[in-house]
Amino acid sequence: MTEGWLERRCLKVLQNEDTPLYLFALAAEEVDLIASVARIGRDEAGKLIGYQRPEKKKHVKQIQDYLDSADVLFPNGLILALPPEVRFKSSRGPTTSDGLVVAGTLEIPVSQGDDGPRPAWIVDGQQRSLALSRTKNRRLPVPVAGFVANNLEIQREQFLRVNTVQPLPANLVTELLPEITRVPSGRLPTRKLPSALVDMLNQDPGSPFAGIVKRASSTDEAKKAAIVTDTGLVEALKESLESPSGVLFPYRNIATGTTDTEGIRDVLITYWTAVRNTFPKAWGLPPTKSRLMGGVGIRAMGRLMERVMAHVDVNSPTALADAEKELRIIEGSCFWTEGVWPELGLPWDELQNTPRHISALSNYLARAYVTNRAALK
């Protein structure tokens, strides 16, 4: 190891020219020397930073106990995002390449001092890396796959790709998706826009959801005030965006791939502010005290939005008052915090966030709205 650099024998895998992939080994104590974990969170401006989930202490301890034992076999490697400053030197001779890989030496910059910034980021294997940093077996060789990517977007994309076998928490996935341009799975693009809209609702001071949506990046302090799980809200918005009958569907231009996000913002804030104003005693309480704020309430009221907002002109100065007028039609039919839901035969606190109860409550609210509205004419 030269001063400021770590040298390791390496294989350069020839997958593509734009993103070199290197296979090499590090001693357990060297992982912490060159790589950090990019914990998910938000900066002071509210911008998403990082992508990794929190440490699982029990899992890390189990790995460490094994690493501290005798006769360790540890084939589970790490995936690192390496800085562009790394230097690869191919070995001399005619047999250094077989057409798939090139043998050589990789030079990686080393952090100067314990508090210095580390040049690489751990994309996969954060729990293993923590155990490696604490093991007594300091010189244990650890297999590493590294790719050069100083771009956080590429790191996030690879992070989502390598975690498809053991699924990531849904709220972590949905929060990361708006931050990447290329979505790694054909099943995920539809979640990207709804998650971005949930971000907007959680951060917009004019939103009734401001500061009360629980996201993967929420700090421990923020989680104390967060009462709405983001996955339920994401699913509610996704339904409205995807269904041709959804009130948000017309705001997407499928041909051009553009979206009128300002128009969607107006619809969402108008409707959900009207919901808050119509049910003030049920709004802002944890789901254990108000089913309106739980997944079943958010999903059912999200479906009711399609009917209510069809009668509201969001560009009108009376839009909020008009939405409140429409919601008062079902006000007396709702039992968010006490009582028994008629037709459903369920006490308010027995409603659960299950497909069956979401469907039953949605249908009940739709019938009550249509029937009561017709009776008013």
Side-chain angles (χ1 to χ4, degrees):
M1 181 175 65
T2 59
E3 184 177 357
W5 294 85
L6 184 69
E7 292 184 2
R8 282 289 174 268
R9 295 293 293 172
C10 172
L11 293 177
K12 180 180 180 181
V13 182
L14 306 176
Q15 291 184 336
N16 67 72
E17 296 180 359
D18 296 331
T19 308
L21 177 64
Y22 303 108
L23 304 179
F24 56 98
L26 293 174
E29 62 184 353
E30 293 171 339
V31 175
D32 192 47
L33 190 65
I34 70 168
S36 297
V37 174
R39 296 280 184 217
I40 190 168
R42 292 188 180 272
D43 59 20
E44 293 181 357
K47 181 176 177 56
L48 191 69
I49 56 177
Y51 44 85
Q52 289 277 12
R53 54 192 139 186
E55 174 186 347
K56 295 181 179 178
K57 294 182 179 180
K58 183 177 180 180
H59 183 43
V60 172
K61 182 63 167 59
Q62 290 174 338
I63 299 174
Q64 183 184 344
D65 289 343
Y66 173 71
L67 293 174
D68 289 341
S69 63
D71 300 323
V72 175
L73 177 63
F74 195 70
N76 304 81
L78 306 176
I79 299 179
L80 303 184
L82 301 170
E85 291 80 14
V86 297
R87 302 188 295 235
F88 177 78
K89 297 179 180 179
S90 59
S91 301
R92 296 182 179 180
T95 60
T96 59
S97 174
D98 61 1
L100 298 177
V101 299
V102 177
T105 301
L106 186 67
E107 297 181 352
I108 307 169
V110 177
S111 173
Q112 301 300 307
D114 294 338
D115 298 329
R118 289 158 178 73
W121 294 99
I122 296 172
V123 174
D124 183 56
Q126 63 148 326
Q127 313 295 344
R128 299 191 292 276
S129 71
L130 290 170
L132 287 165
S133 69
R134 300 165 187 172
T135 182
K136 299 175 183 177
N137 196 352
R138 305 297 292 160
R139 297 302 299 173
L140 176 71
V142 181
V144 177
F147 61 92
V148 176
N150 203 30
N151 186 315
L152 187 60
E153 178 181 311
I154 296 177
Q155 295 178 29
R156 284 174 172 153
E157 179 184 347
Q158 292 302 317
F159 174 66
L160 290 175
R161 285 184 185 279
V162 299
N163 281 282
T164 54
V165 175
Q166 181 179 357
L168 294 165
N171 61 341
L172 177 57
V173 174
T174 55
E175 190 165 7
L176 286 172
L177 284 175
E179 303 295 326
I180 63 175
T181 300
R182 293 177 293 172
V183 181
S185 169
R187 296 171 296 171
L188 294 179
T190 53
R191 300 189 76 108
K192 187 174 179 181
L193 178 57
S195 183
L197 293 172
V198 169
D199 260 347
M200 179 274 293
L201 289 172
N202 194 37
Q203 298 182 46
D204 193 321
S207 165
F209 288 104
I212 65 171
V213 180
K214 188 181 300 183
R215 308 231 71 183
S217 65
S218 299
T219 63
D220 291 341
E221 190 64 28
K223 286 179 180 178
K224 294 178 182 179
I227 55 176
V228 176
T229 302
D230 60 355
T231 49
L233 194 51
V234 166
E235 288 301 319
L237 299 182
K238 180 183 173 185
E239 284 187 358
S240 185
L241 286 162
E242 289 185 343
S243 172
S245 62
V247 70
L248 301 182
F249 186 83
Y251 291 89
R252 297 179 61 196
N253 189 322
I254 305 300
T256 63
T258 59
T259 303
D260 179 7
T261 53
E262 281 297 319
I264 290 177
R265 175 193 178 277
D266 291 341
V267 172
L268 293 177
I269 291 185
T270 297
Y271 176 72
W272 287 104
T273 299
V275 172
R276 180 194 63 189
N277 295 349
T278 304
F279 304 103
K281 293 182 179 180
W283 190 268
L285 298 177
T288 54
K289 296 183 178 180
S290 171
R291 286 300 193 259
L292 175 60
M293 308 309 291
V296 63
I298 295 295
R299 293 289 301 279
M301 291 301 290
R303 292 176 180 178
L304 186 65
M305 177 177 68
E306 319 298 1
R307 297 179 179 274
V308 169
M309 295 307 291
H311 300 284
V312 177
D313 179 3
V314 293
N315 297 313
S316 169
T318 63
L320 178 57
D322 294 340
E324 292 175 3
K325 179 181 177 182
E326 293 296 320
L327 284 169
R328 281 197 294 272
I329 293 174
I330 53 100
E331 181 181 6
S333 302
C334 295
F335 301 86
W336 300 116
T337 60
E338 59 182 0
V340 177
W341 290 88
E343 295 186 28
L344 303 183
L346 290 172
W348 73 272
D349 55 353
E350 288 189 12
L351 274 179
Q352 302 299 321
N353 187 29
T354 63
R356 179 183 175 185
H357 282 189
I358 291 171
S359 179
L361 181 60
S362 300
N363 292 337
Y364 166 78
L365 292 175
R367 286 194 300 271
Y369 178 71
V370 173
T371 300
N372 295 348
R373 197 171 194 278
L376 294 175
K377 294 183 178 179

